[in-house]
Amino acid sequence: MSLTESFTAPASCLVSGGNMLMPGLPSGWVVVAVIAILALTLWAFFLPVAERTASHGIDPTRWPLVGTSIAWLGHTPWILVGLRLLTVWLFLVIVAAGLFGTPMPRQNAATLLTWNLWWSGVIVSVFFLGSAWCAICPWDALATWLVQRRLWRRAPPGNSLDLPVPKMLRGVWVATLAFVFLSWLELGYGLTVDPYATAMLALLMVLMATLSLAIFQKKAFCRHFCPVGRTIGAYSQLAPVSLRPRQRAVCEECETLECYHGTEQIPPCPTSLVMGRLKQNTYCLSCGHCTLACPHDNVSWRLRPPSREAMLDARPHWDEAWFMLVLLTITLFHGFTMLDVWENMVRQTAVWLGDSGRLIASFTLCMALVCLLPPAFFALMVKLSHGLFQRGTGYSDLFSGLAFLTLPLAFGYHLAHNLMHLNTETHGIGQLLSNPLSREIAPLSGKTIQDWMDHPLFDPFVLHFSQMSLMLFGYWLAMLVWRHRARHLFSDNRVQGWPLLVFSLGISGVELWMLSQPMLMRFQ
């Protein structure tokens, strides 16, 4: 194979066992990525870590020319109201398409827009806009309008039972279990290829958000129960944007805490955050209540180095650590289920179990076995680091603190993997938007699908370069997190955290291997 061929994928899609496959990352790109990953690992291990000083970031509202406009956007609630109305309208269109449109998933707005565009777009938006999606989420918007009967102003008391969340439901354990269950529905039951089930799931999320708001204090669904919101919250710790005080001293002297309590017109913080004490984005919904309520005009969007929270600011918690680890695991599992090796594994398990039909039992058993591997690998490497470090740091503290390493590893692969779906599975979106119920549309022929596969959205060079770059960007962030977290947890002797470098290399190796394999199309 020539050097040029090693960087070039097949010109068209592949076919295996009657299934259409998207070509994987060519070997030349994989070799470049491996060399760069090894170089980043050596840099992280050997080069000294500079002390990070406290930083309030950059306030874009102070920029000349555009600063005033940025500040105006933060003090105008009707911008968010308008965006919420738009997302609610799109949500209702998707639900109507799923309930009443064609059952063909590739020609139904519910499946195509939800699983190929929305989910990928939300993950991309996290890096540039933090948790901004939560501010315009249609599930929460509909729940708020139904329970509080207000577009945005503070609702009068009495619209909710206002009960505290039971202790057993606090934290993010419910969201973690929900995330695993939704992944099982998506991949085991076939939710992504069932427009009706997709629509029903969307309505179920609205129902859960509504009941939670009607029963519990503030927005318990957003803080404790929503798997999408907690995914955004976890990834937003990598984002270079955040809502923060302009001057900490102003917050320290404030006694009224309008950011927390709200005002007569502005609702309180929906997740009970105090701006002066805020150090991580995990539970911030970017709703803008604090910006509107602050009488000192001391809250604004700020720019900061990527992954600063994951490196330094975020406080480790046991439940959040497990959510981050599960997020990495499920992200890897999504990619694995689109490979031929997974299909063979499930079929062989079905033969062993005597399973037939939809092979739900076989899928569930294989999912459980595969999804145990990343957490077990991580726990083993943390245990090894704990054994090397004999200065009193407990295992749970190391586990929780080093779990931040999994966020960029998951994020980089998540984007690189979804880029492949966007490249080949988004044809026909314009037609769907003009005819969301897909009335009088003929089923797609094999020739049409073949033509779409042969004419992807991106040039192959652009696609593969982007995938490699995203993987390396995620790994670079992971090395930054490891350097600073290990330095803190191991009392400046970070080399004792080398087992977590082995973990990072192992996970990245698996990710690159999966990207290099031909991948099953979601919609055949």
Side-chain angles (χ1 to χ4, degrees):
M1 179 184 294
S2 68
L3 180 63
T4 302
E5 290 175 337
S6 68
F7 285 87
T8 306
S12 61
C13 68
L14 310 173
V15 178
S16 175
N19 293 321
M20 302 185 74
L21 305 175
M22 294 174 278
L25 191 66
S27 59
W29 293 106
V30 174
V31 170
V32 171
V34 168
I35 294 172
I37 284 173
L38 291 175
L40 286 171
T41 306
L42 293 174
W43 165 77
F45 188 77
F46 287 108
L47 264 67
V49 183
E51 181 70 29
R52 290 271 180 154
T53 58
S55 172
H56 298 307
I58 300 172
D59 184 357
T61 64
R62 305 300 191 194
W63 288 349
L65 301 180
V66 299
T68 302
S69 298
I70 295 173
W72 177 80
L73 290 174
H75 290 84
T76 307
W78 295 109
I79 298 293
L80 278 183
V81 171
L83 291 173
R84 286 172 188 157
L85 289 170
L86 176 61
T87 59
V88 166
W89 175 76
L90 288 172
F91 172 81
L92 295 176
V93 168
I94 287 173
V95 169
L99 296 179
F100 308 112
T102 175
M104 296 178 288
R106 188 151 194 166
Q107 293 174 270
N108 192 291
T111 44
L112 190 60
L113 295 182
T114 299
W115 303 113
N116 278 13
L117 273 188
W118 168 73
W119 185 233
S120 301
V122 164
I123 299 304
V124 172
S125 74
V126 171
F127 186 76
F128 297 100
L129 301 172
S131 56
W133 170 258
C134 294
I136 59 173
C137 171
W139 305 340
D140 175 63
L142 286 169
T144 301
W145 297 342
L146 288 170
V147 175
Q148 299 183 350
R149 298 188 292 279
R150 291 287 190 279
L151 275 178
W152 71 273
R153 295 185 187 277
R154 185 168 192 155
N159 291 319
S160 169
L161 296 178
D162 210 31
L163 300 176
V165 177
K167 188 174 182 180
M168 65 179 297
L169 298 180
R170 296 175 192 170
V172 295
W173 294 113
V174 174
T176 304
L177 294 175
F179 188 52
V180 173
F181 179 65
L182 286 178
S183 298
W184 179 87
L185 282 177
E186 176 189 349
L187 302 168
Y189 177 76
L191 190 65
T192 55
V193 294
D194 189 332
Y196 185 84
T198 297
M200 292 303 294
L201 174 64
L203 292 175
L204 176 62
M205 299 302 283
V206 173
L207 177 62
M208 292 173 61
T210 304
L211 290 176
S212 176
L213 190 60
I215 295 172
F216 299 120
Q217 295 172 349
K218 298 188 176 181
K219 293 188 177 180
F221 177 77
C222 300
R223 182 177 177 106
H224 300 293
F225 309 145
C226 179
V228 175
R230 292 307 90 233
T231 299
I232 293 172
Y235 278 153
S236 66
Q237 295 176 96
L238 305 175
V241 296
S242 62
L243 274 174
R244 290 294 188 273
R246 286 195 171 102
Q247 299 180 41
R248 290 279 179 185
V250 174
C251 289
E252 291 171 1
E253 295 174 2
C254 180
E255 297 180 355
T256 51
L257 298 180
E258 284 87 353
C259 60
Y260 178 85
H261 298 291
T263 66
E264 289 185 3
Q265 294 294 322
I266 309 301
C269 176
T271 53
S272 302
L273 302 176
V274 177
M275 182 53 61
R277 305 170 196 163
L278 187 62
K279 291 187 176 181
Q280 60 190 91
N281 281 353
T282 311
Y283 299 107
C284 176
L285 306 182
S286 300
C287 63
H289 292 173
C290 53
T291 306
L292 295 169
C294 180
H296 311 290
D297 191 24
N298 194 45
V299 181
S300 71
W301 287 98
R302 305 190 75 82
L303 303 179
R304 61 196 183 161
S307 78
R308 179 179 174 87
E309 281 182 25
M311 284 191 291
L312 300 167
D313 297 339
R315 295 176 57 192
H317 297 278
W318 185 246
D319 58 329
E320 294 170 7
W322 271 103
F323 184 88
M324 291 186 282
L325 191 53
V326 167
L327 178 57
L328 171 65
T329 299
I330 295 299
T331 301
L332 295 174
F333 181 66
H334 271 71
F336 189 61
T337 59
M338 295 183 177
L339 306 182
D340 263 348
V341 64
W342 167 259
E343 295 289 317
N344 295 332
M345 180 179 177
V346 172
R347 283 195 291 266
Q348 291 174 5
T349 303
V351 171
W352 178 65
L353 292 177
D355 195 9
S356 61
R358 301 187 64 139
L359 306 185
I360 296 297
S362 303
F363 178 92
T364 304
L365 178 59
C366 290
M367 178 179 178
L369 293 175
V370 171
C371 288
L372 282 175
L373 296 178
F377 186 23
F378 180 78
L380 178 63
M381 293 299 99
V382 174
K383 185 65 176 177
L384 183 56
S385 292
H386 181 251
L388 295 173
F389 187 67
Q390 303 294 334
R391 296 186 185 177
T393 304
Y395 177 79
S396 62
D397 292 333
L398 289 180
F399 189 100
S400 301
L402 294 170
F404 290 98
L405 181 70
T406 63
L407 278 178
L409 294 175
F411 188 69
Y413 176 73
H414 204 153
L415 294 178
H417 173 83
N418 282 340
L419 198 60
M420 180 69 79
H421 288 297
L422 289 173
N423 188 49
T424 55
E425 297 181 348
T426 53
H427 291 280
I429 285 178
Q431 185 181 29
L432 280 180
L433 292 176
S434 62
N435 183 15
L437 296 184
S438 302
R439 291 174 177 169
E440 301 179 359
I441 290 183
L444 292 175
S445 65
K447 183 179 183 303
T448 300
I449 297 177
Q450 179 72 50
D451 288 342
W452 286 357
M453 291 289 292
D454 292 342
H455 298 86
L457 186 63
F458 306 113
D459 177 82
F461 178 86
V462 173
L463 172 68
H464 298 140
F465 178 79
S466 300
Q467 286 184 302
M468 185 195 70
S469 299
L470 289 169
M471 286 291 299
L472 294 181
F473 179 67
Y475 195 82
W476 171 64
L477 293 181
M479 292 300 95
L480 288 176
V481 172
W482 178 83
R483 281 162 61 84
H484 289 278
R485 289 284 170 178
R487 180 179 184 274
H488 170 72
L489 290 168
F490 297 110
S491 300
D492 293 330
N493 191 16
R494 71 181 192 283
V495 295
Q496 290 183 295
W498 65 261
L500 276 300
L501 291 180
V502 174
F503 172 81
S504 301
L505 286 170
I507 293 298
S508 295
V510 171
E511 292 173 343
L512 282 173
W513 172 76
M514 289 194 295
L515 283 178
S516 70
Q517 303 301 304
M519 190 172 68
L520 286 167
M521 291 181 64
R522 181 178 280 134
F523 305 135
Q524 295 289 336

